[in-house]
Amino acid sequence: MKRTFMSLHATGPQANQTASKSLYQRPMMDSSQGSYEDIRELNEDSNRVMDGVFHSHLDEKVRPYIDLIDSLRLIGIDEDMSLPTIAVIGDQSSGKSSVLEALSGVALPRGSGIVTRCPLELKLRNLKGGLHWRAIISYKDESIEFTDPSLVDAKVEEAQNKLAGEGVGICDELISLEIFSHDVCDLTLIDLPGIARVPVKGQPEDIGQQIKSLILSFIEKSETINLVVVPCNVDIATTEALKMAQEVDPEGKRTLAILTKPDLVDRGTEKNVLEIVRNQVIPLSKGYVIVKCRGQKQIDDRINLAEATRLERDFFTRHEFFSCLLYEEKATIQCLANKLTQDLVEHIKKSLPMLSEQIKKQLWDMRKGLSLCPAGPPMDPQMQKSYLIDTLTRFNDKINRLTSGEVVNDDNMFVLLRGEFKKWKDHLDSTKATFHKTVQDVVNEYDQKHRGRELPGFSDYNVFEMVVQRLVALLMGQAIDTLRVVRETVQKQFTDVSKTCFTNYPFLQCVTMNKIDNIQSKQEAKVEERILEQFEMEQLVYTQDGIYFKTLNETAFSAEGEKASASEDNCAGFDSRSKYPVMLRAYYEIVVQRLADQVPMLIRYFMLKQSAQLLCAEMLGLIDGATVSEVLREESHISRHRFDMQNRVDRLTLAQEKLSNFV
Ligand code: GDP
Ligand code: MG
């Protein structure tokens, strides 16, 4: 059994049998039928079987091309470039929708005045197997699926009202109606608003121009076959649609004219119509087809499409002037469908090299774009997890290298820190002079201001201890300041690592920043407490005797050129008050040394070393805690961009594969 493509059995018993089917059905053919020539002879009065033979023969040659374009459209290539399509243009009420309806088997909104107000892309998809009729209408962001064929009309109208507003306005946004049915072939047709000359009430003055430029945007594409619909009962030479088609396609290579309403032709003008159909008046290389669709009365009488097709053939068979056109293959919707298929296939064949070229170029551009786009996380959840582990490990590794002194960011962190610690030391040194002077003042003024119950010549240790306590306590402010600055520095360094490691993951970056901030705050509080404790301890005014004498000998006496040296066994000679400034200066020197190291060590240990350990541990905790996909959520525009590009590359690659069998 052979399948036939686009054959319609308009007369004879099979016509009824296929009554519910449209033009594009594929009825089975009886294999007992004879050869092409035999049948031609046998069926002179009807080309029913002849069509079948003709088209089953055509099928094998045509089908792959239609399928190719259809599959390209299915994978979405029409988003990247225009694919061969058929656009229907004509004056208002010339019968465009009626022709489309007859071709597609789908009832479209029809009537007088402006009915088609948005371009309607009719994507017909042949259903195989036991699936049921369904349609998807999409426009703007909406996409509605329905399963009742009688709803098409209402759905299209609803869409038009949403896009162009209720009333008589037009809109150039496309409504796409995808119909899956056993009774259609894979074909895409576009119904366009009819050309209006005079605006009706409620329409803008330039409606004619608006409609024309909308039509133009479709018919000027070299990928489009233009179906120009002209009623028989008007002067064809004056029709705007034909003029427009001629402008964009002067040689008529992709223009096919359709004469409608032959039943309404003026008596006596039939001969003129015949001349036109025979391409003798305005010649087009693709020529003319005359069709008769359902008139208003037939619609009111609920004559279905299949019945209408039978009536059409009856009409031509019986027509005094037009019956000959049946044999010339210039009449009936069925003939139009045949012609259209052939034209479309020819057109597709011609377009293929260009399509292939375009695909190649776009692929190249997209691949380049993709290579410049940072790679994202893998799609597979398991892979995603190990990707997250890798990403976090890389971060931790960088943090560890940073804390152990490697230069990871733009600045060298240890240079920055050393600078801060040096400032601290400089500050300590700078206070020595004041300390010395203060002690000296106390010594000088001792008898007047400080002397207690002791006999002259004796001194109260307390007085001097308090001076030391007071002056050392003053250093704390600067210690805390150093802590603050270092915290800022470390926090910035950690944050910089997070930024470079998690560039495309705003969520991860945010989580990390919060962790860094939390840890730094906690650690800062800890260090502050330690510094406070340190300064409380400094109130003890303590050092080992050995250290004290060592410092005293090294600094004080050598500086003052004293001969005698002090030692643990020989401290009796130093109870004299005049020696106090020198002695206390030695102690202060010890304090300075102690604090100069102690404060930076506290800060470095808690703010850097321990912070880094805590941060790394918390980061690894992310692997088990949060949802991986959530943690790896990307900056939406980056992921969308990459996703779009990847999709395009995928479908272009697929398209290239499909095309490679043809070009
Ligand atoms: P459009 O505005 O170009 O889409 O035209 P329509 O398809 O809506 O048709 C306009 C009117 O002409 C409708 O009432 C149709 O029923 C009617 N019509 C279309 N084709 C024929 C035809 O061949 N014969 C007759 N008598 N009426 C037709
Ligand atoms: Mg219409």
Side-chain angles (χ1 to χ4, degrees), residues 91-98 110-111 261-264 292-296 299:
D91 288 3
Q92 259 177 37
S93 294
S94 54
K96 297 177 298 299
S97 299
S98 305
R110 292 198 314 168
K261 310 190 185 179
D263 51 324
L264 301 181
K292 185 194 160 303
C293 298
R294 292 184 300 175
Q296 197 51 54
I299 293 170

Side-chain angles (χ1 to χ4, degrees), residues 328-346:
E328 293 171 29
E329 294 193 350
K330 287 189 167 55
T332 74
I333 283 284
Q334 179 202 351
C335 169
L336 169 65
N338 296 346
K339 228 170 139 43
L340 213 51
T341 312
Q342 289 177 60
D343 286 350
L344 187 63
V345 167
E346 260 174 50

Side-chain angles (χ1 to χ4, degrees), residues 507-647:
F507 181 82
L508 198 49
Q509 231 180 78
C510 180
V511 168
T512 314
M513 306 265 228
N514 285 340
K515 285 193 186 306
I516 294 173
D517 191 56
N518 276 338
I519 293 172
Q520 289 287 309
S521 295
K522 266 189 223 152
Q523 295 296 98
E524 188 182 4
K526 239 190 231 178
V527 178
E528 204 175 314
E529 185 151 345
R530 299 289 154 101
I531 289 178
L532 220 87
E533 281 169 8
Q534 182 67 38
F535 278 93
E536 272 168 20
M537 289 188 288
E538 291 298 342
Q539 296 293 302
L540 299 177
V541 187
Y542 170 78
T543 187
Q544 298 273 357
D545 290 352
I547 296 175
Y548 174 72
F549 284 115
K550 188 164 178 275
T551 315
L552 191 60
N553 288 330
E554 272 170 16
T555 59
F557 291 105
S558 61
E560 294 190 4
E562 296 269 342
K563 299 267 171 343
S565 88
S567 73
E568 286 169 62
D569 319 312
N570 173 31
C571 49
F574 296 94
D575 58 350
S576 152
R577 202 183 297 151
S578 65
K579 295 279 186 292
Y580 285 5
V582 180
M583 290 156 73
L584 288 180
R585 192 152 82 175
Y587 177 72
Y588 194 70
E589 189 61 40
I590 292 164
V591 171
V592 163
Q593 274 181 27
R594 196 157 54 203
L595 290 178
D597 286 343
Q598 183 69 2
V599 170
M601 281 171 81
L602 277 175
I603 294 177
R604 227 184 93 178
Y605 179 74
F606 287 103
M607 301 312 290
L608 195 59
K609 194 177 157 93
Q610 216 179 53
S611 286
Q613 287 167 348
L614 290 170
L615 181 61
C616 290
E618 283 204 20
M619 292 307 284
L620 289 179
L622 280 177
I623 296 166
D624 297 319
T627 347
V628 176
S629 60
E630 176 70 3
V631 175
L632 286 178
R633 206 180 60 221
E634 285 183 276
E635 197 83 84
S636 59
H637 71 269
I638 295 179
S639 57
R640 203 181 317 123
H641 185 55
R642 178 172 353 88
F643 187 74
D644 285 351
M645 284 204 292
Q646 189 55 57
N647 268 351

